[in-house]
């Protein structure tokens, strides 16, 4: 069986995909990734944007490889020419942690594996610079805006989010939700975009923990840990801590347009892979 220490004939750690992961910083603050639930967790304000979490070499149906060079040392000075961009777009949302601690972690765990196999990613500057280039070209915010006018502050169905992303990128992306055990909400957390080793967009099949749930009407596989039967909150603010913890009504309850999914067979009677999804729009008040 595969392990994190598998090597090929020349001593490298093989992988199939590069997972370019963007995260929504507000959810990081809500989920406990940050040690505080306020925007002081490092979330950029007032204009919240999707930020980079990492570029992760991945074997299909396997976690890893990781930490491929045990003797590697992270040298932040190599990033001096792009450091200001990284501080804005590849920021550390964990409170009370050094700005470059996320970069160090990502390089040592994932970058060292990418560097073994891909010349365009074989230095810190190339690896982090590629992330900035991909964010500029493939920002989830741009994809949501162009693919379906998906905006923060509303709930959406998994099918609606997936349809917007597939329409923009033309590939199957993975949608990752944070499930809040206190409020029982599922909250949009990360979008994972996959590239092959030639740095070309490819489908995100075979990611452990984010399984293919079926196909969406209009094209695109649904790959997610989100529950397709429930709405997904795309938050625009970090709720007050007391309201989050006790699920109390906040002073100004917010109306959200919620999309529920209705699974049905295709009208022509043809078999399809997984459920087909129609959208049904309703409005509820979220408290």
């Amino acid at each position: 069986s595969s392990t994190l220490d598998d090597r090929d004939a020349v001593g490298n750690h093989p992988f199939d995909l590069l997972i370019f992961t963007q995260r929504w910083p507000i959810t990081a603050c809500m989920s406990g990734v940050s040690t505080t639930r306020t925007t002081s967790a490092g979330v950029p304000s007032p204009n919240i944007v999707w930020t980079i979490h990492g570029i992760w070499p991945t074997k299909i149906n396997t976690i890893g490889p990781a930490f491929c060079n045990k003797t590697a040392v992270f040298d932040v000075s190599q990033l001096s020419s792009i450091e200001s961009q990284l501080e804005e777009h590849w920021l550390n949302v964990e409170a009370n942690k050094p700005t470059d601690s996320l970069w160090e972690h990502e390089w040592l765990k994932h970058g060292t594996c990418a560097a073994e196999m891909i010349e365009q990613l074989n230095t810190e500057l190339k690896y982090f610079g590629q992330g900035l280039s991909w964010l500029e070209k493939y920002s989830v915010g741009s994809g949501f805006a162009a693919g379906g006018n998906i905006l923060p502050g509303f709930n959406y169905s998994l099918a609606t989010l997936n349809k917007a992303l597939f329409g923009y990128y033309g590939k199957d992306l993975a949608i990752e939700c944070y499930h809040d055990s206190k409020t029982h909400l599922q909250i949009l957390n990360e979008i994972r975009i996959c590239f092959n080793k030639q740095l070309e967009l490819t489908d995100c099949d075979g990611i452990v923990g984010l399984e293919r749930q079926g196909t969406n009407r209009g094209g695109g596989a649904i790959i997610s840990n989100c529950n397709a039967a429930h709405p997904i909150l795309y938050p625009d603010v970090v709720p007050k801590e007391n309201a989050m913890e006790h699920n109390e009504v906040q002073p100004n309850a917010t109306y959200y347009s919620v999309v529920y999914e209705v699974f049905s067979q295709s009208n022509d009677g043809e078999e399809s892979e997984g459920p087909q999804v129609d959208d049904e729009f309703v409005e509820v008040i979220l408290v």
Side-chain angles (χ1 to χ4, degrees):
S1 62
S2 296
T3 71
L4 297 186
D5 292 322
D6 280 352
R7 294 176 182 263
D8 61 18
V10 295
N12 292 331
H13 300 76
F15 58 86
D16 303 303
L17 302 172
L18 293 161
I19 303 175
F20 176 54
T21 299
Q22 296 177 48
R23 67 177 163 194
W24 187 237
I26 291 176
T27 306
C29 282
M30 296 168 69
S31 69
V33 168
S34 162
T35 56
T36 176
R37 284 183 167 167
T38 69
T39 52
S40 64
V43 174
S45 182
N47 297 315
I48 309 297
V49 294
W50 286 83
T51 63
I52 303 168
H53 188 171
I55 301 171
W56 305 334
T58 301
K59 285 188 70 174
I60 291 175
N61 299 321
T62 305
I63 297 175
F67 298 105
C68 292
N69 182 350
K70 299 295 196 298
T71 63
V73 177
F74 176 72
D75 178 9
V76 71
S77 68
Q78 292 188 26
L79 304 177
S80 58
S81 63
I82 60 172
E83 188 166 358
S84 61
Q85 294 172 268
L86 293 174
E87 288 173 350
E88 182 177 357
H89 298 296
W90 202 320
L91 77 163
N92 187 358
V93 298
E94 295 188 44
N96 305 316
K97 292 287 185 70
T99 303
D100 62 359
S101 64
L102 173 64
W103 309 336
E104 179 178 23
H105 172 79
E106 293 299 315
W107 172 250
L108 295 179
K109 183 174 182 178
H110 304 289
T112 55
C113 301
E116 281 188 344
M117 303 288 285
I118 301 178
E119 184 178 356
Q120 299 100 308
L121 303 177
N122 66 1
T123 69
E124 288 179 29
L125 185 60
K126 289 180 182 179
Y127 175 81
F128 289 97
Q130 185 64 65
L132 293 172
S133 296
W134 277 343
L135 184 68
E136 184 175 3
K137 188 173 183 180
Y138 300 113
S139 167
V140 170
S142 298
F144 277 154
N149 197 31
I150 307 295
L151 300 171
F154 298 90
N155 282 294
Y156 296 93
S157 72
L158 179 58
T160 297
L161 297 179
N162 192 81
K163 182 178 179 181
L165 294 172
F166 183 81
Y168 185 72
Y169 297 97
K171 298 291 181 182
D172 296 331
L173 276 56
I175 300 172
E176 199 261 333
C177 285
Y178 163 66
H179 298 88
D180 191 300
S181 60
K182 294 188 176 70
T183 64
H184 305 292
L185 295 174
Q186 60 176 356
I187 304 165
L188 184 62
N189 187 33
E190 295 186 337
I191 303 295
R192 300 179 184 180
I193 305 172
C194 293
F195 294 85
N196 61 25
K197 286 181 283 188
Q198 290 72 47
L199 308 187
E200 301 162 334
L201 277 173
T202 191
D203 293 325
C204 286
D205 285 316
I207 298 178
V208 174
L210 296 172
E211 309 302 335
R212 180 189 284 256
Q213 297 191 20
T215 55
N216 205 1
R217 188 177 298 278
I222 297 177
I223 302 171
S224 183
N225 72 331
C226 310
N227 186 336
H230 298 289
I232 298 168
L233 174 62
Y234 183 9
D236 60 347
V237 295
V238 179
K240 291 184 178 180
E241 185 170 356
N242 287 341
M244 282 293 296
E245 289 190 351
H246 303 296
N247 203 18
E248 296 171 350
V249 178
Q250 296 185 56
N252 296 313
T254 305
Y255 282 92
Y256 289 97
S257 175
V258 178
V259 188
Y260 289 102
E261 293 176 332
V262 179
F263 292 97
S264 64
Q265 294 181 343
S266 57
N267 293 330
D268 55 15
E270 294 182 0
E271 291 186 359
S272 58
E273 181 181 348
Q276 297 290 320
V277 180
D278 291 325
D279 295 333
E280 177 181 310
F281 293 83
V282 299
E283 279 197 355
V284 302
I285 186 169
L286 179 70
V287 296

